[in-house]
Amino acid sequence: MSLRSGQKLRELCETRWSARGDALYTFLASFDVVVDALSNLIDEGDTKAQSHLNNMLSFSFIICLVTAEHLIQSTTQLSKLLQLKSIDLVEAVKEANVVKELLQSERNDDTVWDELYAKAEAIANKHDVVIQSPRNAQRQRHRVNVPADNVPQYYKRAVFYPFLEHLVAEITDRLLVPENRFHAQALIPSRLQELTNQKQADIAQHYGVHLPHFNQLDEEIKRWKTRWQMSDVKPDNLSTTLEHTNPVLFPNIYKVLLILITMPVSTASAERSFSAMKRIKSYLRATMRQERFSGLALMHVHKTFNFDYDEAIRTFIERKKRRMILQ
């Protein structure tokens, strides 16, 4: 593993899982460079660099870094698929099954852990790091007192197994358990040809208790299909479909789409909004008022929107003039 020319270290993103994989890969590839940089800073008298270097040059840190980078890389493509605006939830479920099967097979394959441990051991030997496991505590209940006969077995049970099983559990709970609920994405106008009788029955079964007029669902879906057969322009994602759905004419479909779009795996718009907010409301703009902040956020998120700035400025000036006259 080597760092490409010009590549920089990345911050560990709190929201985007795929960005975490890239950040860990970059950090692991530049491990030697970071160690050398911290050593130079220590020689120049930087006190913080010493604590960072001590943390890096511990075998617990190295083995955790190697393990996390390997396991998260398995979920990177699935994360990118879930970030798409026009996401195919059924296809995401299929990919989730693939990732789950891969992780479970790696758990049962001893050679996978042996390779990871050998990789961490090589890094540790290169930097003269002592390879050892933490001591067991008899009375402390918060320490990881994993029974093990040797160091590789300890980290396999204390790091590799728990993290892998956590990933499998999260993928199962978030994607595989509500699998049949995702068939409601066939109500998107551009995908109505995928709405089979079986998928329609799944929608009725999983969303029936939330629908205001459950007995009218079948007739409502027939009207929904007819309406979009008469239209040339058809929405291709959940948010646009919801905007074009009249809750008075199609109350059941509107409710189904509303529930589906609020599922965490069905949209990444909320994460993008928080990312935009972090870029806009910086420390230099901490006193910004809500109206200005909302306007800047909309302009930043909808960059491709054809917006007439001159007209907006003229409208703003006219409003100011009317307020002055009224006062």
Side-chain angles (χ1 to χ4, degrees), residues 38 55 119 185 200 249 279:
L38 290 174
N55 291 330
K119 185 177 181 179
Q185 72 172 0
Q200 191 168 326
L249 297 176
R279 289 191 292 269

Side-chain angles (χ1 to χ4, degrees), residues 144-169:
V144 185
N145 290 324
V146 178
D149 298 330
N150 49 53
V151 176
Q153 189 181 69
Y154 172 84
Y155 284 107
K156 184 178 184 179
R157 295 177 177 178
V159 177
F160 183 67
Y161 282 165
F163 191 25
L164 187 149
E165 290 168 357
H166 172 73
L167 288 178
V168 171

Side-chain angles (χ1 to χ4, degrees), residues 53-66:
L53 185 62
N54 291 338
N55 291 330
M56 285 184 61
L57 296 182
S58 66
F59 190 68
S60 296
F61 179 89
I62 295 173
I63 192 67
C64 289
L65 175 63
V66 172

Side-chain angles (χ1 to χ4, degrees), residues 5-283:
S5 176
Q7 192 172 3
K8 299 180 180 179
L9 292 176
R10 299 184 181 182
E11 185 178 358
L12 194 65
C13 183
E14 297 181 359
T15 55
R16 243 174 235 191
W17 198 256
S18 58
R20 289 191 172 197
D22 296 337
L24 290 174
Y25 174 84
T26 305
F27 186 82
L28 185 59
S30 58
F31 190 88
D32 297 342
V33 178
V34 175
V35 170
D36 292 339
L38 290 174
S39 300
N40 292 334
L41 290 174
I42 293 172
D43 295 338
E44 295 175 1
D46 193 322
T47 56
K48 293 183 179 180
Q50 184 65 60
S51 62
H52 294 319
L53 185 62
N54 291 338
N55 291 330
M56 285 184 61
L57 296 182
S58 66
F59 190 68
S60 296
F61 179 89
I62 295 173
I63 192 67
C64 289
L65 175 63
V66 172
T67 303
E69 189 274 334
H70 172 78
L71 293 177
I72 290 179
Q73 287 295 342
S74 303
T75 66
T76 299
Q77 297 306 319
L78 176 61
S79 301
K80 291 180 179 179
L81 178 63
L82 293 172
Q83 290 285 336
L84 297 177
K85 290 184 178 180
S86 56
I87 178 178
D88 187 339
L89 292 172
V90 176
E91 187 66 25
V93 168
K94 294 179 182 178
E95 179 61 22
N97 273 311
V98 172
V99 174
K100 179 182 177 181
E101 184 65 26
L102 174 63
L103 292 174
Q104 289 178 337
S105 64
E106 289 189 349
R107 188 190 190 284
N108 300 324
D109 188 358
D110 293 334
T111 59
V112 174
W113 170 249
D114 292 340
E115 292 176 359
L116 292 176
Y117 186 83
K119 185 177 181 179
E121 192 176 30
I123 296 174
N125 291 331
K126 186 175 182 180
H127 296 280
D128 299 326
V129 176
V130 179
I131 300 175
Q132 61 183 7
S133 58
R135 63 179 180 84
N136 289 333
Q138 299 297 327
R139 295 184 179 181
Q140 295 183 21
R141 287 180 283 180
H142 299 291
R143 188 184 292 272
V144 185
N145 290 324
V146 178
D149 298 330
N150 49 53
V151 176
Q153 189 181 69
Y154 172 84
Y155 284 107
K156 184 178 184 179
R157 295 177 177 178
V159 177
F160 183 67
Y161 282 165
F163 191 25
L164 187 149
E165 290 168 357
H166 172 73
L167 288 178
V168 171
E170 288 294 311
I171 291 173
T172 302
D173 293 341
R174 294 174 181 269
L175 286 170
L176 301 182
V177 172
E179 177 179 356
N180 290 333
R181 295 183 184 180
F182 298 151
H183 288 161
Q185 72 172 0
L187 291 171
I188 297 176
S190 62
R191 309 183 64 169
L192 281 173
Q193 69 277 5
E194 302 175 9
L195 186 59
T196 61
N197 293 334
Q198 181 59 46
K199 290 184 178 180
Q200 191 168 326
D202 291 337
I203 294 172
Q205 178 182 356
H206 291 282
Y207 295 92
V209 294
H210 304 290
L211 301 183
H213 307 288
F214 176 72
N215 57 329
Q216 301 176 9
L217 179 61
D218 293 338
E219 293 298 324
E220 189 173 314
I221 291 178
K222 290 180 181 178
R223 289 192 294 109
W224 180 257
K225 289 181 178 179
T226 304
R227 174 191 174 182
W228 291 108
Q229 286 175 357
M230 300 168 59
S231 177
D232 295 331
V233 180
K234 301 177 182 180
D236 60 354
N237 57 67
L238 285 172
S239 57
T240 309
T241 302
L242 194 62
E243 293 174 1
H244 289 80
T245 305
N246 190 322
V248 178
L249 297 176
F250 303 97
N252 293 317
I253 293 178
Y254 183 83
K255 191 70 174 181
V256 170
L257 295 174
L258 192 64
I259 294 173
L260 183 61
I261 201 173
T262 53
M263 290 184 180
V265 299
S266 64
T267 178
S269 300
E271 295 180 5
R272 295 191 184 96
S273 299
F274 283 115
S275 299
M277 182 176 67
K278 183 178 179 181
R279 289 191 292 269
I280 295 171
K281 195 169 184 179
S282 61
Y283 290 106

Side-chain angles (χ1 to χ4, degrees), residues 321-327:
K321 287 181 179 179
R322 286 197 292 268
R323 290 178 182 176
M324 293 174 63
I325 294 173
L326 290 174
Q327 292 176 354

